[in-house]
Amino acid sequence: MTQDELKALVGQAAVAHVVPGSIVGVGTGSTVNCFIDALAPLKDQIAGAVSSSVKSTERLLALGIKVLDANEVSSIPVYIDGADEIDHGGHMIKGGGAALTREKIVADLAERFICIADASKLVDTLGAFPLPVEVIPMAATQVIRRFGQAYGGQAQVRAGVTTDNGNVIVDVRGLQITDPLAMEAEVSQWPGVVTVGIFARHKAKVCLLGTPEGVRTLTF
């Protein structure tokens, strides 16, 4: 199966985890687009969606799915989103689509994070995928320097990208993230960092992994 076919497979499988009559959290990215498309026929069976990006909101609305502002919602049963990497403990790197801050906000509302991904995203140690960090523009050089000093990472601003919040993305290469929770806590405290793309505090409870043999369900 192609990578696109695997994404479609897990997007369809994720629909079974949506609680009827509830609000569902919806992430961002190509795999999530497959989930949104699969969710559309059930739009009258849910109360709406909370979206993590402008692009996902546009796709949801185009398919007739009601979108609610996160400020209108106190909690949601499930948040369904992809990952750039996920380890065997459910910790993830996210932010390849530059929506990590809003993704983390929606994840914080959710009782369960369900990650949908193809098998290539499952890794033993996070870090082969460049770690995205949303940064206030005036702090970008300072944050880049600090990653080199603290972790030996090679960081640079992602060219031509501005987040939905008006900030820049710094991508950090050359990392081996052996303690995701500690690194997330540390980097989150650096002045100018809005969000680091380590999802350890908001790790996945379930991963629906697309494999050539079908959908493999991992629980953490």
Side-chain angles (χ1 to χ4, degrees), residues 113-136:
F113 189 127
I114 298 176
C115 176
I116 53 176
D118 65 82
S120 69
K121 304 301 195 312
L122 183 64
V123 299
D124 292 326
T125 303
L126 301 176
F129 188 91
L131 175 66
V133 187
E134 181 165 354
V135 178
I136 294 171

Side-chain angles (χ1 to χ4, degrees), residues 62-94:
L63 291 170
I65 299 171
K66 181 180 179 181
V67 178
L68 301 169
D69 189 283
N71 289 306
E72 302 177 74
V73 178
S74 58
S75 68
I76 53 180
V78 295
Y79 174 51
I80 294 172
D81 201 358
D84 298 303
E85 286 185 340
I86 183 167
D87 70 12
H88 294 275
H91 311 106
M92 296 167 287
I93 285 182
K94 293 176 50 56

Side-chain angles (χ1 to χ4, degrees), residues 2-14 30-31 34-35 38:
T2 67
Q3 192 173 42
D4 285 343
E5 288 171 332
L6 294 175
K7 290 177 180 181
L9 196 66
V10 295
Q12 183 66 51
S30 56
T31 308
C34 294
F35 166 66

Side-chain angles (χ1 to χ4, degrees), residues 4-19 22-43 46 48-52 56 59-60 63 65 76 78-82 106 114-117 208:
D4 285 343
E5 288 171 332
L6 294 175
K7 290 177 180 181
L9 196 66
V10 295
Q12 183 66 51
V15 173
H17 292 264
V18 174
V19 179
S22 74
I23 299 165
V24 60
V26 177
T28 304
S30 56
T31 308
V32 172
N33 286 342
C34 294
F35 166 66
I36 294 172
D37 294 346
L39 183 65
L42 304 178
K43 62 187 178 183
I46 60 173
V50 176
S51 167
S52 67
S56 289
R59 194 179 191 96
L60 288 159
L63 291 170
I65 299 171
I76 53 180
V78 295
Y79 174 51
I80 294 172
D81 201 358
V106 182
I114 298 176
C115 176
I116 53 176
L208 303 177

